[in-house]
Amino acid sequence: MIEIKNLGKQFQNETEIEYRDMIFENGKSYMLLGASGCGKSTLLNMIAGIISPTSGEIFIDGVNMSASHQKEKDRFRIEKIGYIFQDFKLINDMTVADNIGILRLEGVDVSEMDSILSNLGILEKKNAKIKHLSGGQKQRVAIARALVKNPDIILADEPTGNLNFTIGELVIGELTRISKGKTLIAVTHDDRLAKYFDVVVDMNEVTGGMRDVINEKEGELC
């Protein structure tokens, strides 16, 4: 379980984001909706331990990760979190297989690589260099790299941002299927994908609204 308490982040340009208290339960998928600048990606980065909050706490399975040393945060992210970055963070001069296979250096078993690439529709690109792929193909490689770790927590920052809706829907369907039993938190602007998630969170409300914003799938969306 991920628990957010009194969380806030102050940036050098004096912009400050404050979050209402939230709980992300184990085994559920969450969709974070909201306008640019409302703090969606910042929240993912704080949960992952990439950046630190200015105030408040983040508890993961009862451990106050926001109070941990950076080495501990990095180790937790490597072992427990699969992060799908909005800008991919792939190595352009390496092949798809090598970009995923490099995780072996972190002790990751990548034996499911072919199966995941196949499910995402890019197995035929396995030996192609990243620089020769389209934006949508790179997006799917980034997703495959996160999923092959079989992580407990999956954080996805705009995982369909470079895909058309048809392919994006396929990818989200696969992402949520593979994530069953795990905690999935995905940032997206496309509310048409809400049906694939257990819970939808309106981040415009979380960072300053006056009403409850976490709604089960069978209820109304904010």
Side-chain angles (χ1 to χ4, degrees):
M1 182 173 70
I2 301 171
E3 189 172 3
I4 308 300
K5 291 185 176 181
N6 303 313
L7 198 66
K9 180 62 180 177
Q10 177 87 47
F11 294 94
Q12 289 184 349
N13 63 2
E14 297 185 0
T15 298
E16 184 172 14
I17 302 173
E18 294 182 348
Y19 299 86
R20 302 184 92 184
D21 292 356
M22 291 182 281
I23 291 177
F24 300 97
E25 297 180 31
N26 293 339
K28 284 191 174 183
S29 59
Y30 295 82
M31 180 186 195
L32 307 188
L33 281 173
S36 296
C38 73
K40 303 184 300 297
S41 297
T42 298
L43 179 59
L44 291 193
N45 284 330
M46 287 191 289
I47 291 173
I50 295 172
I51 62 175
S52 298
T54 307
S55 58
E57 298 167 312
I58 300 172
F59 292 87
I60 302 181
D61 293 336
V63 178
N64 185 355
M65 295 303 297
S66 52
S68 300
H69 294 298
Q70 190 59 48
K71 286 185 178 180
E72 294 173 345
K73 294 178 183 178
D74 293 342
R75 182 170 62 250
F76 183 86
R77 183 171 62 253
I78 290 170
E79 294 177 354
K80 301 293 185 180
I81 295 177
Y83 201 127
I84 302 165
F85 293 92
Q86 189 173 5
D87 59 355
F88 314 139
K89 297 197 182 302
L90 300 170
I91 302 172
N92 283 325
D93 285 323
M94 291 174 60
T95 66
V96 170
D98 288 339
N99 266 272
I100 297 173
I102 200 171
L103 293 175
R104 293 189 186 96
L105 298 176
E106 299 174 356
V108 176
D109 177 3
V110 299
S111 60
E112 293 299 312
M113 181 196 312
D114 285 6
S115 175
I116 293 172
L117 290 174
S118 178
N119 289 338
L120 292 172
I122 54 169
L123 180 58
E124 75 279 4
K125 298 296 183 181
K126 178 180 176 180
N127 295 312
K129 289 188 175 181
I130 297 298
K131 63 184 179 183
H132 296 143
L133 302 184
S134 68
Q137 290 166 341
K138 292 176 183 177
Q139 186 94 53
R140 283 178 277 176
V141 174
I143 292 171
R145 183 183 57 189
L147 295 179
V148 80
K149 295 174 63 174
N150 192 28
D152 295 334
I153 299 168
I154 299 171
L155 305 177
D157 195 354
E158 294 289 357
T160 62
N162 288 275
L163 307 174
N164 63 43
F165 180 72
T166 300
I167 296 177
E169 190 171 31
L170 180 153
V171 167
I172 286 294
E174 180 63 16
L175 180 60
T176 51
R177 184 190 70 79
I178 292 177
S179 301
K180 289 295 183 184
K182 306 176 186 298
T183 303
L184 169 64
I185 307 174
V187 165
T188 180
H189 290 91
D190 197 338
D191 59 5
R192 294 176 295 176
L193 299 170
K195 63 183 179 181
Y196 290 98
F197 294 84
D198 297 318
V199 182
V200 175
V201 182
D202 185 342
M203 293 297 292
N204 294 309
E205 300 291 338
V206 168
T207 55
M210 298 302 293
R211 57 192 171 91
D212 293 337
V213 296
I214 299 184
N215 299 275
E216 295 297 331
K217 183 163 55 178
E218 59 267 21
E220 293 184 358
L221 305 183
C222 305

